[in-house]
Amino acid sequence: MDREDFISSLSNGVVVLGGCGIVGSLIARILASHNIDVTIKDSVSETFLEPIFKNEGVHLCLSHQLDNNSFNNISAIFIAPSLLNNKIFMGKVNNFNTNNLPIYSIDEILTYFTPDKPVIGVTGTNGKSTTTHSLKHIFSVNGYKVPSHGLPIQGNNEYTPSLQSRLSGDIGILEIGTFGIAGEIYTSASNSHVNMGVITNITHDHLNNGSYEDYINCKKEMIQVADELVLDGDDPTLLNIVETDNKKIYYFGIKDMDNPLFKDSKYNMTCPKCGCKLKYDIHYLRSLGEFNCECGFTNPPLNVYADNIQIIKENNITKTSYTIHFEDQESATINLPNSGIHNVYNSLAAACAAWKSGLDIDQIIKGIESFNGVPGRLEYIHNDPTIIIDFAHNPAGVETIIRTVLQLKTDNNKIIVLNTISSESGREGDMVIADVLSSADIVIPVSSSSVEISKYIQTKVVNFENQSKFNKTGTLGSSPEQVEEGLKLALELSNSNDIILVLGEAGVKYSKNALNKILQ
């Protein structure tokens, strides 16, 4: 049976059970986009997705309990995968399915509704969310319809990318992450029919599920799937895993050797090819830079690159400008609304992918300069004093955000860091985080794991009573109460011109509410 025959078999409409959940909502929207009459029947009383459902023609029947009338006058029943394994629920479905209607789920969606548009998949250790949203924005402001899952999650759920790629639109742009488990990216990218893969960088992260080599191999799965690749040409780890001649590969990076911004950057790394010490001519960000080795391993020619990078400081806010070059053929000045060398790299990745997807330079600049960033990434949430939240949760991410915030350091202000995180790569990662945090003036540990890191911090550490009353779950290191207490302490220690930086998922998740309570 092909798609047309399958759709024809649903001519009387369908019911989607569990359609207000992550997977169920996407199943319903995909079906509706193919002019199938869809009704979601769910036991919940309300859903934040109601405006999306209404706009896309999906009918809602909420607070619904299954009964003899649940499946009247329809062609089929679709059930969210999470409910298929619920024996009690499925017993009720079978009891009321008196007409023996076919029961479908995710497999039929993946089989009969393959994407009918180009699909770009974005992965990497750091910057993938910002790069994904930037790329979506570039296409959107230039008139392209870019479908969104509309869910308050990142794109790492097992089925989210593959279903999002099937939503109605002109181009699919997906974040595809990993928790360090083999096969995750390959499955998501394959099921999403990714044509172009973007890999932002590879650094130590999610090592609780294996070694660094295992983690690298997870990211390598994107290379195995995509026909075209957009890669960071300044990342030796990433470049080492590209061992194929049958792909179109485009590289982005920085060429700014004489810029004083980078004179003090230091990072030691062995050559991933031969194991000798890698020689850097310059570091732009941690392990990213211009490098070479006696074995011949070095940067490739860059298709899109930046130079003349400048940091502009205004009232405890930094912005960044640079000149972007497209294969030495065309160039233009870009003024980023958000700051940091990491955002230069993120914007270059998005620019390269957009350019190789057919957009011209003016369209790309229009998109980059109007993109205001992603909530929780270098997000300013208060003035007097300045309070910034950032999702950074691994050594490279912490180093990046600290380096950016230090651009605001003067003789007349302090940098106060609330740390909710510890490294997922063990003691070695914790030591890197401790070393980086030592650049701040004051560090306030806001979790039991960050208390341990603080033993190695070479700057002033201020503790409070309830630091050890929460067990870390994934990248969530602190409770709402701990974040609130930490913010209270930081505000007590700060002056109006100081800068408070709250690190980690808990900081992003809880700081705004905590601040509202404190300031009431």
Side-chain angles (χ1 to χ4, degrees):
M1 186 184 300
D2 60 18
R3 178 192 294 184
E4 286 69 28
D5 290 336
F6 186 73
I7 291 175
S8 178
S9 74
L10 307 177
S11 58
N12 289 332
V14 303
V15 161
V16 178
L17 302 179
C20 292
I22 292 175
V23 175
S25 66
L26 293 170
I27 288 175
R29 292 172 61 194
I30 291 167
L31 292 167
S33 71
H34 288 83
N35 298 315
I36 297 168
D37 189 71
V38 178
T39 299
I40 289 175
K41 295 191 175 182
D42 203 303
S43 60
V44 301
S45 60
E46 59 183 6
T47 172
F48 67 92
L49 291 169
E50 184 169 358
I52 294 177
F53 290 143
K54 183 177 181 180
N55 183 60
E56 297 181 6
V58 176
H59 311 296
L60 283 177
C61 182
L62 302 184
S63 300
H64 180 79
Q65 302 300 319
L66 293 178
D67 57 31
N68 288 321
N69 298 316
S70 293
F71 307 129
N72 289 341
N73 303 315
I74 61 170
S75 296
I77 303 165
F78 281 80
I79 301 179
S82 60
L83 295 176
L84 287 175
N85 296 322
N86 186 321
K87 293 182 179 179
I88 295 176
F89 178 81
M90 290 305 299
K92 291 181 179 180
V93 171
N94 292 326
N95 183 49
F96 293 121
N97 183 18
T98 56
N99 293 322
N100 293 317
L101 298 172
I103 296 175
Y104 301 130
S105 188
I106 185 74
D107 290 341
E108 286 74 22
I109 298 296
L110 297 180
T111 299
Y112 294 112
F113 297 95
T114 53
D116 53 2
K117 56 186 168 296
V119 177
I120 301 174
V122 182
T123 193
T125 304
N126 294 302
K128 57 183 176 291
S129 293
T130 301
T131 300
T132 301
H133 283 80
S134 175
L135 190 53
K136 290 174 71 172
H137 181 78
I138 291 170
F139 277 95
S140 295
V141 298
N142 286 290
Y144 289 78
K145 182 180 179 182
V146 185
S148 172
H149 54 58
L151 301 162
I153 59 171
Q154 298 183 71
N156 299 338
N157 178 274
E158 180 182 4
Y159 293 119
T160 304
S162 52
L163 293 175
Q164 185 182 339
S165 71
R166 288 161 166 79
L167 293 174
S168 176
D170 300 316
I171 185 168
I173 301 173
L174 319 171
E175 178 183 341
I176 300 179
T178 179
F179 292 102
I181 300 173
E184 280 183 313
I185 290 179
Y186 184 86
T187 300
S188 287
S190 297
N191 284 339
S192 303
H193 294 249
V194 167
N195 311 110
M196 176 183 285
V198 180
I199 307 181
T200 57
N201 51 66
I202 299 178
T203 64
H204 289 71
D205 195 20
H206 295 305
L207 302 191
N208 49 322
N209 290 316
S211 66
Y212 186 40
E213 183 177 355
D214 292 331
Y215 177 70
I216 292 171
N217 286 333
C218 287
K219 295 301 184 185
K220 189 175 182 178
E221 292 169 2
M222 179 64 79
I223 295 174
Q224 296 167 354
V225 174
D227 295 321
E228 296 183 273
L229 297 164
V230 174
L231 308 177
D232 190 336
D234 294 342
D235 185 346
T237 302
L238 175 55
L239 298 177
N240 184 51
I241 66 175
V242 184
E243 299 175 348
T244 178
D245 296 325
N246 61 347
K247 308 279 186 179
K248 293 181 180 179
I249 304 177
Y250 315 111
Y251 295 102
F252 64 91
I254 296 175
K255 289 184 180 181
D256 214 2
M257 287 271 297
D258 298 324
N259 194 322
L261 279 175
F262 308 112
K263 292 300 182 183
D264 297 325
S265 299
K266 295 179 181 179
Y267 188 82
N268 293 320
M269 181 172 175
T270 57
C271 175
K273 286 286 187 185
C274 70
C276 294
K277 184 176 180 180
L278 201 60
K279 180 181 181 297
Y280 278 87
D281 296 316
I282 191 169
H283 293 268
Y284 296 121
L285 186 64
R286 197 165 170 78
S287 61
L288 307 181
E290 299 186 33
F291 58 85
N292 60 80
C293 180
E294 59 187 24
C295 73
F297 182 58
T298 190
N299 305 75
L302 301 177
N303 300 93
V304 175
Y305 66 92
D307 64 10
N308 192 31
I309 299 171
Q310 299 180 47
I311 305 295
I312 304 155
K313 307 175 190 177
E314 296 178 357
N315 300 321
N316 274 358
I317 295 176
T318 63
K319 297 183 179 180
T320 307
S321 70
Y322 66 90
T323 303
I324 189 169
H325 300 263
F326 295 84
E327 290 184 345
D328 292 321
Q329 298 172 7
E330 298 181 85
S331 63
T333 298
I334 284 183
N335 295 298
L336 288 178
N338 40 30
S339 183
I341 304 305
H342 62 300
N343 279 319
V344 173
Y345 274 110
N346 295 336
S347 62
L348 289 171
C352 188
W355 184 47
K356 291 302 180 179
S357 297
L359 271 63
D360 63 35
I361 295 176
D362 290 338
Q363 291 174 309
I364 292 168
I365 293 171
K366 175 184 176 182
I368 290 177
E369 292 195 332
S370 60
F371 175 64
N372 291 317
V374 178
R377 269 71 174 181
L378 195 65
E379 182 181 357
Y380 289 74
I381 64 170
H382 190 258
N383 295 318
D384 192 24
T386 297
I387 302 179
I388 302 169
I389 56 176
D390 193 271
F391 191 77
H393 61 281
N394 56 46
V398 173
E399 182 175 12
T400 298
I401 187 62
I402 291 292
R403 179 172 171 178
T404 301
V405 171
L406 283 174
Q407 296 286 339
L408 299 170
K409 174 67 177 170
T410 70
D411 293 335
N412 299 314
N413 67 7
K414 300 189 297 292
I415 307 294
I416 303 172
V417 177
L418 273 67
N419 182 31
T420 73
I421 70 164
S422 59
S423 173
E424 293 179 56
S425 54
R427 178 178 170 81
E428 181 183 354
D430 285 345
M431 295 300 289
V432 173
I433 290 175
D435 181 59
V436 173
L437 293 183
S438 296
S439 301
D441 296 288
I442 299 174
V443 175
I444 301 174
V446 196
S447 65
S448 55
S449 55
S450 61
V451 168
E452 292 301 311
I453 291 178
S454 297
K455 296 175 181 178
Y456 307 100
I457 291 176
Q458 302 300 310
T459 192
K460 183 177 180 180
V461 175
V462 181
N463 296 294
F464 61 87
E465 185 178 350
N466 295 319
Q467 290 162 313
S468 302
K469 294 186 177 181
F470 183 82
N471 293 321
K472 179 179 177 182
T473 304
T475 56
L476 188 65
S478 302
S479 68
E481 294 76 18
Q482 286 174 315
V483 172
E484 182 179 344
E485 192 163 350
L487 270 174
K488 283 182 182 176
L489 180 55
L491 288 168
E492 290 171 4
L493 296 171
S494 65
N495 297 315
S496 62
N497 60 336
D498 289 338
I499 298 164
I500 299 171
L501 170 64
V502 192
L503 289 176
E505 181 183 359
V508 170
K509 195 170 184 178
Y510 304 132
S511 287
K512 292 178 184 178
N513 286 339
L515 190 60
N516 287 337
K517 288 183 181 180
I518 294 168
L519 298 178
Q520 283 178 349

